[in-house]
Structure formats: structure tokens, C-alpha cells
Amino acid sequence: MAFSRTYDGDAPVRINKWLGQTSVCSRREAESLIADGLVTIDGEVVRDAGRKIEPGQTLTLNDTAQSALAAGMTILLHKPVGYVSGQPDPGKIPAVRLLKAPNRVGEGEVPARDASLPPIGRLDEDSRGLLLLSSDGVVAKAVIGPQSELDKEYLVVVDGQITEAKLGKLRHGLELNGKPLKPARVTQIEPQRLRFILTEGKYRQIRRMCELVGLEVTDLYRIRVGPLLLGDLPEGRWRHLTPDEREALIRQSAGN
């Protein structure tokens, strides 16, 4: 399915710059798509790499362009406790070890043993849930790029007394490494279970936040990244991200 988006800016902007800013693709990828005649504005094929899009005009990437951009592989994995997200220290087990045919849900190729699939937003060894592994730079930028505001949702079990004062501090006012954290949405859903929704992902952030208010995390479970839901994917199993999910991720990251 072709991808279309209407430019709602106030002034003309170069196509490659706009596509890069909105995480659809990199500027270099945009120039390549234009050179191949795969981009249209209001139905007219764009031939000039310096072309600007005007407010109210609609840009379309045809099916071939979409296939080219989706060439990178993105895996959605239900990571169990005991696996590390990225390059492990000696004695640790990397999550990519789980990417085998018996663990796959649905269709799609099994990544080669030497495939480069870095984690896009880590989960520490003691945490479980939704982990993205991807060679797709556009997906990476949408999830963890400096302009990304995607929600990440977690269910967290804690030891310690939960009070309204502690919840207030968790929501806003804490610092890590001398820097204030962005506001978080934190709600109590069971006597010892909290729901965290964050728009950032600092190292062991939720565990450290809880420590600052006298709570100890005993279970941390990520269930959502932006529009992507872990759903009923069994623990230790994985599947490929669909083209529609990729597009929804990019759109939500861009605020559209």
C-alpha cells in the first residue's frame, strides 16, 4: 500500500529534509527514492532532488519505495528474565539467541546467526516483555531518536508502602545523575502493582526511580512501545513487525 502524507507546515521545505524530520526515511534515502522516480507530489512524479513541498501538498511514496524502506528487519520479541538485550558480558545470554525457527510466531525469515539486530530500547536482564531488535534505521530513529516522544508502558510490581506522596514524586520531580526526569504517568492498579508510562528510557530508570522513593522493584514487564502491543505473544517467542505496524510506529513518532 502506497504511503501518503500531507505537508502541514507554514513554509515550503525540501522533500528530503521533511521526510528526514518526520522519520519516514533518512535524507539520503529520500534522495535515492527521488532519483528512482518513486516519489510524487499531488500526483506529479518528482525528478528534482532539491524540490520543495508546499503547505497543503500531498507527498506519496509508491509501493516500490515502501518495499525499499522496509528492507531492514525488525523483530518483536517477548524477552524473558535472564536474557540481556545487547552485546553480553561473559556468561550472559543475549536475547538474539531466541530468534530461532521453533520460537517464531507467523511467517518470515529467521535472521542469520551473524545478523546485526541491535536492541531498539533496552530491557535489563531482570526485566521482561516487549523488546524490539532491528536493523532498520528509520524504526530506530522513531523509537529512540532524540526527537522521539513515543510512550513506553510497563507493569511493575514493588515491595514497600505505596503512598500518594510517593506516586506524586514518581510522576514528576525526581532526578537521575543530576538531571530532572521528564514527567511520567504512574498509577496504582493493584495493592503492589504500578503502571508506568514513560517517554524516555534512561538506564534502569524505573528501578532507580522506585529506589528514590523507598520502593523495590520485584517484577518489571514492558507491554507497549508506542502503538506496538506485546499482546498474547508467549514468553520467549518472536515475530516480524508488519509493514502496517512499521508505518504506525513512524506516524506516531512524528506526531501525526
Side-chain angles (χ1 to χ4, degrees):
M1 181 177 66
F3 167 86
S4 292
R5 183 174 297 177
T6 300
Y7 176 53
D8 59 0
D10 297 325
V13 65
R14 286 174 63 108
I15 293 171
N16 62 349
K17 180 179 180 181
W18 181 53
L19 290 176
Q21 289 174 337
T22 54
S23 300
V24 174
C25 62
S26 69
R27 293 192 186 191
R28 182 170 296 180
E29 287 172 327
E31 290 167 1
S32 177
L33 296 176
I34 290 170
D36 292 339
L38 305 179
V39 179
T40 63
I41 291 181
D42 289 347
E44 175 192 352
V45 176
V46 176
R47 301 291 184 185
D48 178 8
R51 172 77 176 270
K52 294 184 177 182
I53 186 168
E54 305 278 346
Q57 290 186 323
T58 298
L59 179 145
T60 300
L61 305 179
N62 68 19
D63 292 340
T64 302
Q66 284 290 88
S67 297
L69 291 177
M73 179 182 292
T74 301
I75 300 295
L76 193 156
L77 168 70
H78 186 161
K79 187 190 90 65
V81 169
Y83 290 80
V84 296
S85 298
Q87 188 65 31
D89 293 327
K92 303 295 185 180
I93 307 172
V96 291
R97 293 266 186 91
L98 293 166
L99 305 185
K100 301 176 180 179
N103 297 333
R104 179 183 57 198
V105 172
E107 300 299 321
E109 65 178 294
V110 177
R113 287 180 60 87
D114 60 350
S116 177
L117 287 168
I120 308 302
R122 295 171 181 266
L123 274 179
D124 63 56
E125 183 179 5
D126 299 324
S127 301
R128 60 194 179 98
L130 194 162
L131 177 65
L132 292 175
L133 302 164
S134 181
S135 59
D136 186 330
V138 177
V139 167
K141 182 178 179 182
V143 177
I144 60 173
Q147 305 303 317
S148 176
E149 293 287 339
L150 282 181
D151 287 344
K152 290 88 174 177
E153 184 172 351
Y154 306 79
L155 301 180
V156 181
V157 178
V158 297
D159 275 344
Q161 183 180 11
I162 300 171
T163 66
E164 281 302 317
K166 291 180 180 181
L167 291 174
K169 288 182 179 179
L170 289 170
R171 290 170 185 143
H172 190 50
L174 294 178
E175 294 184 356
L176 291 179
N177 301 328
K179 296 183 179 180
L181 295 173
K182 294 180 180 179
R185 283 176 276 168
V186 184
T187 53
Q188 184 174 4
I189 55 177
E190 291 180 10
Q192 294 302 132
R193 177 171 288 188
L194 304 175
R195 182 189 307 275
F196 278 74
I197 300 178
L198 308 180
T199 57
E200 58 186 341
K202 298 185 183 298
Y203 175 69
R204 294 176 71 87
Q205 179 172 337
I206 291 176
R207 295 179 186 276
R208 294 162 69 196
M209 290 171 68
C210 287
E211 287 174 4
L212 289 173
V213 299
L215 300 174
E216 180 186 1
V217 172
T218 60
D219 183 46
L220 192 153
Y221 182 41
R222 183 158 65 196
I223 62 171
R224 180 174 64 86
V225 173
L228 304 180
L229 299 174
L230 183 63
D232 58 1
L233 184 68
E235 189 170 271
R237 305 292 291 275
W238 63 275
R239 64 176 179 82
H240 284 275
L241 205 68
T242 69
D244 285 347
E245 287 175 325
R246 181 182 187 272
E247 182 175 332
L249 192 69
I250 293 167
R251 281 185 176 274
Q252 192 170 117
S253 175
N256 291 313

